[in-house]
Amino acid sequence: MFSLSRNDRLLMLGFTAVVLLAPLWLQPFGAGYPDLLQKFAIFGLFAIGYNILFGLTGYLSFGHAAFLGVGSYTAVWSFKLLSLNVIPAVILATLLAGLFAVVIGFLSLRRSGIYFAILTLAFAQMSYKLAYSVLTPITNGETGLRVLRDDPRIIDNMLGTAHDGSPIGSLFGIGMQGYPAFYFSAVMLILGFYLSVLIFRSPFGLKLRAIKSNQSRMQYTGYNTRPYLLWAFVISGMYAGMAGSLLAVTDPLAGAERMQWTASGEVVLMTILGGTGTLLGPIIGAALIKYSENIFSAFNESALHEAFSFLPGFIENFLVTIVHPFVGEGWHLTLGALFMIIVIFLPGGLMDGLSRIARRWRARKHGSDEADSSQVED
């Protein structure tokens, strides 16, 4: 069950190398610093989990931010009550998000299509409102839940590992800030990707694809599709919970905004941009959106003038006027235009574009090989 084919082992090896060496090869693109690398890893994990539901079954959820928020709150409560060690926080957050997903999935999966999407959106917004108001004693409302120095931390006090400095998450004494935090998130991403590959190649994954292809026909053949869909929903929710706990690990503050519908919409965009139903597509989509959010939004008018300063003055001013609305605070325009281009010309996302390039390259290579062999025969 846990064995991979030769191609999948090569894929895992390449993926692991790319993730672990990211601080080096992303440096020339201005993205080799820890804060942005952590976002790549965490939201890549979030998108991998979402792809197991949306990519394999075709069920479009607009409520996965609820699990992200549950994971964050659980991790912070683990830091406050148990220990600053990140291992219990991540495990508890993943399990509690899974339990929450069982309840929401059991109710939402009674409908499909647009009705399923609306139900998940409604549950997420209810969760957001509860976290913001009714559950203030647990979530601390709009202020957000944060770790304090005088929190009980029962396990740390029993073991005599109380921290004197700032209360930040740690991995057996290694503070989760900077590159250690990135590499912890990167290991979680690699493990999550490995599990995703296993699910995609397993009989369970094939049944999910069959449900996406034609659920009625699956039911005619005697399969009860509801348990498979519920498992996919729960696994996807657990991924989101783990991603939420990693957000709390790198920044021990949980707020209700992580449960807002915009966070759910963001993971939908990531999956569609990269390629729904592909292994690597959602991770590429997550990296693209987080890169745009952090790099394009940093360009202001003076930075544009500096970038175009080698041009004559009137051309420089003209280009700054054209480009300025698409960077800085207007970076969403760039993302929107990119999303439109990809949906119109590459319905399968960026992975679809890469596949087309690979097919044309192989076809051209095959054609040239045939031409060479015919010349030899002549």
Side-chain angles (χ1 to χ4, degrees), residues 73 126-136 139-143 255-257 259:
Y73 282 123
M126 286 166 58
S127 304
Y128 167 70
K129 288 297 181 184
L130 286 172
Y132 208 74
S133 56
V134 179
L135 297 178
T136 296
T139 62
N140 209 23
E142 60 179 316
T143 306
E257 71 280 356
M259 307 177 90

Side-chain angles (χ1 to χ4, degrees), residues 16-17 20 26 31 45 50 73 77 94 102 132 146 151 159 171 224 229 253 259 278 282 285 295 314 317-318:
T16 303
L20 296 182
L26 282 176
L45 188 67
Y50 187 78
Y73 282 123
W77 271 113
T94 306
V102 170
Y132 208 74
R146 61 193 178 96
D151 287 330
L159 298 176
L171 180 65
N224 181 4
L229 289 170
L253 172 67
M259 307 177 90
T278 62
I295 302 301
F314 70 96
N317 291 329
F318 175 75

Side-chain angles (χ1 to χ4, degrees), residues 4 8 11-12 193-202 279:
L4 297 176
D8 285 338
L11 176 66
M12 278 303 306
F193 184 71
Y194 172 67
L195 182 60
S196 172
V197 173
L198 289 177
I199 290 174
F200 268 66
R201 307 298 187 227
S202 68
L279 283 167

Side-chain angles (χ1 to χ4, degrees), residues 206-221:
L206 288 175
K207 290 185 179 70
L208 295 181
R209 289 172 191 269
I211 291 172
K212 182 181 181 181
S213 176
N214 195 324
Q215 187 172 179
S216 299
R217 192 170 294 176
M218 279 284 290
Q219 291 169 337
Y220 291 151
T221 57

